Every structure is written in C-alpha cells, then in structure tokens.
C-alpha cells in the first residue's frame, strides 16, 4: 500500500529555500478502501479495482467516489509518473445483478442521489482527460458503465482479446452518458459509435481493437504485463515532453466537452422518467422490459 506524504514545511522552515519536492501536497493515500494501490519501479502506480486484503466489502458509491478522486492524487504526487489501472479476476469493473438494480433504485426520482452520481461521472472523466500524466488501462475482463468509461478514457488501453465491453445504459432505460458521446466517435468513428451505443451491442476486445476503440488487444494472460511494459517505457522517457504531448492531444477531447455534458445531463433526466422504473421492475421480475411509449413531442 502507498504511505502518506509529509506535510507542508513548518513555519520555522520558511527562511530556507524550498524545492518543488518540499512543496508537494499532503496526500492521504490511506483513505482508499475499494481499490488497491501499489508503487512499481520508475514511478509507475498500479491501481487494481479491488479492495485491499482485509478491507470490508466496498459499496458501489464509495468506489465511484474513490475512482473519481484518484486522478488528482496521482497527478499531485511528484514521485509518480504513469498510472496503470486494471481489475482482478474475470472483470475489469462492472455492476451486475442486485448491485445494478440497487444503484438504479437509489437514483430513481432522487435528486440528491442523481446529482452525486453525475458529479462523480464528470469528475472521473475530466480527471482522466486533464491529468497531464499518462494513464494506461489494462482491461483484463468485462467492463461496462463507469468501468468502461475509465477503461476507454485512459490514454492507452490494453484489452484482453476476449474481454466483453458494453455500454449498457440503454438496456437500463438510461441515456448514454459517462463518457461515450465524448470518446467513442473520436476512437471508432460516428457510424460505429452509433451502431454499438444505440443497439446496446457488446463487443470483444479483439473487435474493439479492430475498430479502433482500444489501443491494442492481447491474449488474456498478457494484458497486465503488456500494460506495465508500456507504462515503464513512458516512465523512463522525457516527462515534460510526454505530458505536454498528452495535454495537446487531449484538446480533441476537450472540444467534445459540451456534447459530453449534455449527454450526462440527459442521463440524469432519465432517472426521473418511466423507463428506468420499468427496467428495475423487469430485472426484479426476471423478464424482458416493456418500455412505455415516448411523449408525443
């Protein structure tokens, strides 16, 4: 686990010249309870989306919060250069079954809950885009929802050839927000983005690489090693040039910010309509949803 950093210089030290290392913020790494953090050589931070051993089972809301906060802490730590984020077991990060139903039920018609979820989605996406340090995702298995957002917004994405990727918003009666309107058209083109998002079609890592949705697809056992190799290669490179190149490239994503924020606003509105309620009832009753007719605009 990562230890905490020293605090800001004391008043008695103010007469002494301070280096950039002395000015680093006091980062409380111990606050993270739903993800496991490990420092690797060359300033690489490995983030595993799984609770540290001995920690209580994580709540979905806390994991959302922690993932949205990690990028600022990673960016502020002067000893870290590149982050690799991955999952454990057969999933990268996904919500299924009762967890998915409970999360939707909590948001249904609940203004405060929806505002909180949408805020964390915005912070996560903007945090990845605006963090100058490179982020690599090692997509070891199934990714959907917020997990897919994190996986695809990473600067370089390494996917298992058989990983299942799906933006499942429409299946739950929710407008596709999170990330998809921002990044999918840039990665795989508008025609493919519309096909997969509007039809809720899933795809494998192998297909995702072929259409440009992920950077590279490799056999399942090679995912993390490949991602770490890429991270270490960047970590020993020229850091200013690396970060300035990422910042410049991400202006393409920043131009999509209005569309992204519109999509996440429509996602929020979905929780106040009948479609999400029908998706919840259908899941509880183990049947296919029958969504009501739309308003006659």
């Amino acid at each position: 686990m990562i230890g905490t950093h020293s605090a800001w210089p004391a008043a008695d030290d103010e007469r002494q010249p301070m280096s950039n290392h002395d000015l680093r913020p006091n980062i409380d790494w111990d606050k993270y309870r739903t993800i496991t953090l490990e420092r690797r050589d060359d300033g690489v931070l490995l983030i595993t989306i799984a609770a540290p051993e001995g920690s209580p089972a994580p709540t979905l809301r806390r994991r959302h919060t922690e993932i949205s906060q990690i990028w600022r802490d990673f960016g502020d730590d002067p000893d870290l250069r590149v982050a690799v984020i991955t999952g454990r077991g057969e999933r990268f990060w996904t919500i299924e079954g009762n967890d998915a139903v409970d999360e939707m039920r909590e948001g249904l018609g609940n203004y405060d809950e929806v505002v909180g979820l949408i805020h964390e989605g915005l912070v996560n996406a903007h945090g990845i885009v605006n963090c100058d340090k490179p982020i690599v995702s090692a997509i070891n298995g199934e990714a959907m929802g917020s997990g897919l957002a994190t996986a695809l917004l990473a600067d370089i994405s390494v996917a298992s050839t058989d990983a299942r990727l799906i933006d499942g918003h429409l299946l739950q009666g929710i407008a596709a927000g999170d990330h998809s309107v921002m990044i999918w058209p840039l990665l795989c083109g508008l025609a493919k983005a519309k096909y997969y998002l509007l039809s809720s079609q899933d795809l494998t890592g192998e297909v995702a690489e072929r259409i440009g949705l992920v950077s590279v697809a490799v056999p399942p056992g090679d995912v993390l090693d490949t991602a770490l190799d890429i991270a270490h290669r960047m970590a020993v490179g020229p850091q200013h040039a690396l970060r300035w190149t990422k910042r410049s490239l991400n202006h393409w994503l920043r131009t999509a910010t209005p569309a992204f924020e519109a999509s996440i606003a429509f996602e929020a509105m979905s929780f106040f309509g009948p479609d999400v309620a029908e998706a919840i009832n259908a899941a509880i009753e183990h049947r296919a949803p029958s969504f009501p007719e739309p308003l006659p605009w």
Side-chain angles (χ1 to χ4, degrees):
M1 288 294 291
I2 291 182
T4 56
H5 285 299
S6 57
W8 291 83
D12 291 343
D13 297 329
E14 289 180 354
R15 291 171 296 177
Q16 301 297 323
M18 292 185 294
S19 67
N20 289 338
H21 196 72
D22 295 324
L23 292 172
R24 62 189 180 181
N26 183 26
I27 302 171
D28 178 17
W29 290 108
D30 291 332
K31 68 188 175 187
Y32 292 102
R33 293 286 184 269
T34 72
I35 54 179
T36 302
L37 306 174
E38 180 184 352
R39 290 184 191 269
R40 295 294 186 101
D41 293 340
D42 304 319
V44 172
L45 174 66
L46 176 60
I47 306 167
T48 304
I49 307 171
E53 188 174 349
S55 296
T59 64
L60 293 175
R61 186 59 184 273
R62 183 174 180 108
R63 175 162 286 164
H64 276 288
T65 301
E66 291 190 1
I67 293 292
S68 69
Q69 291 177 350
I70 190 68
W71 309 120
R72 179 165 184 173
D73 286 341
F74 161 62
D76 284 345
D77 189 321
D79 296 328
L80 296 175
R81 295 185 168 193
V82 183
V84 174
I85 185 166
T86 191
R88 184 174 291 169
E90 298 179 352
R91 296 178 182 175
F92 177 78
W93 179 13
T94 185
I95 302 172
E96 289 191 350
N98 293 334
D99 287 341
V101 172
D102 290 344
E103 186 175 70
M104 288 193 298
R105 184 186 286 128
E106 288 173 5
L108 188 61
N110 186 331
Y111 181 81
D112 291 345
E113 184 71 18
V114 171
V115 167
L117 289 171
I118 296 306
H119 171 74
E120 287 168 357
L122 288 167
V123 172
N124 185 42
H126 288 313
I128 295 173
V129 171
N130 292 323
C131 177
D132 285 344
K133 299 177 184 179
I135 299 165
V136 182
S137 60
I139 311 169
N140 55 297
E142 188 173 69
M144 64 186 302
S146 299
L148 186 60
T150 302
L152 297 184
L153 285 169
D155 304 296
I156 296 174
S157 50
V158 180
S160 168
T161 51
D162 61 4
R164 177 174 177 259
L165 313 179
I166 181 170
D167 186 293
H169 283 81
L170 270 69
L171 295 175
Q172 300 168 345
I174 304 169
D178 279 350
H179 72 296
S180 50
V181 170
M182 176 193 290
I183 190 84
W184 282 59
L186 283 172
L187 293 177
C188 63
L190 191 58
K192 290 294 187 184
K194 285 184 175 181
Y195 170 66
Y196 285 103
L197 295 174
L198 298 182
S199 69
S200 299
Q201 180 69 42
D202 62 350
L203 66 163
T204 63
E206 183 177 14
V207 173
E209 180 194 38
R210 186 167 69 242
I211 68 175
L213 193 64
V214 299
S215 305
V216 62
V218 297
D222 297 338
V223 174
L224 183 57
D225 286 343
T226 302
L228 287 170
D229 285 345
I230 294 169
H232 284 290
R233 194 182 317 153
M234 290 190 290
V236 299
Q239 294 303 295
H240 287 158
L242 183 73
R243 297 171 193 183
W244 290 336
T245 300
K246 170 179 173 172
R247 173 166 284 274
S248 300
L249 285 169
N250 276 3
H251 283 311
W252 288 102
L253 290 175
R254 293 184 186 95
T255 62
T257 295
F260 165 57
E261 296 201 349
S263 73
I264 210 163
F266 286 128
E267 180 181 1
M269 288 178 61
S270 301
F271 283 92
F272 297 90
D275 289 343
V276 177
E278 169 56 17
I280 292 172
N281 290 332
I284 293 172
E285 297 167 7
H286 304 289
R287 60 173 174 80
S290 178
F291 295 113
E293 290 293 319
L295 294 173
W297 290 343

